[in-house]
Amino acid sequence: MYLKAVHIIFVVTWFAGMFYMPRLFIYNTEAENRSTEEKKILHAQFALMMKRLWYGITVPSAALTIIFGPVVMFVDGWDKLLFAEAGRWLLIKIILVFLLYGYFFSLHCIFKQQQRGVFRYTSQQLRIWNEVATVFLVAIVLLAVVKQSISLVWGLVGLVLLIILLVLAIKIYKTLRSK
């Protein structure tokens, strides 16, 4: 029980880092449009904030999540269900977690680029990329809570609708911001 609580705590702090880090990328990218002096000050501040968030919270939380996740799975006996019909939800969840780590590593690449002063993505592209963590969070939590009570088809339909809503929200925000 305590192991599961610790695992959930590190999942939450890991997601907190993955939610905030792209926001810092966006602000750092938008600082490129400022005067030379402002840009210099903002880039230095955002670089420091990103470094502290990434290495102080996000990376350690990701490491502890990947350690405690399998420990909880084996202690609770979920590993025995992994390839059984009743454990299909767990297999899908694990696949999503591996994809989430891919997203996490993509954030690391953007972080390293911005630390070097390389801005490959627009703030609009980063806003869209920022929402990927939300999609993973919803999918993984629903799988963990609802398990086999929801069909794969309805789960996918729900995720597609969520993605459409997020993209629409980003477009509406861009329209309002440009006015």
Side-chain angles (χ1 to χ4, degrees), residues 43-95:
H43 283 321
Q45 182 62 41
F46 290 133
L48 178 64
M49 291 169 69
M50 287 188 290
K51 197 173 190 176
R52 287 179 177 169
L53 174 63
W54 195 250
Y55 292 120
I57 296 171
T58 314
V59 170
S61 297
L64 291 166
T65 294
I66 199 75
I67 290 168
F68 282 103
V71 169
V72 168
M73 187 173 75
F74 289 115
V75 167
D76 288 351
W78 289 106
D79 58 310
K80 293 165 187 63
L81 284 177
L82 193 56
F83 296 105
E85 178 90 25
R88 191 165 293 145
W89 68 271
L90 182 59
L91 185 59
I92 295 169
K93 178 186 167 216
I94 290 171
I95 291 167

Side-chain angles (χ1 to χ4, degrees), residues 93 96 133-144 159 162:
K93 178 186 167 216
L96 288 173
T134 303
V135 174
F136 277 114
L137 177 67
V138 169
I140 292 168
V141 168
L142 282 176
L143 277 169
L159 277 179
L162 174 64

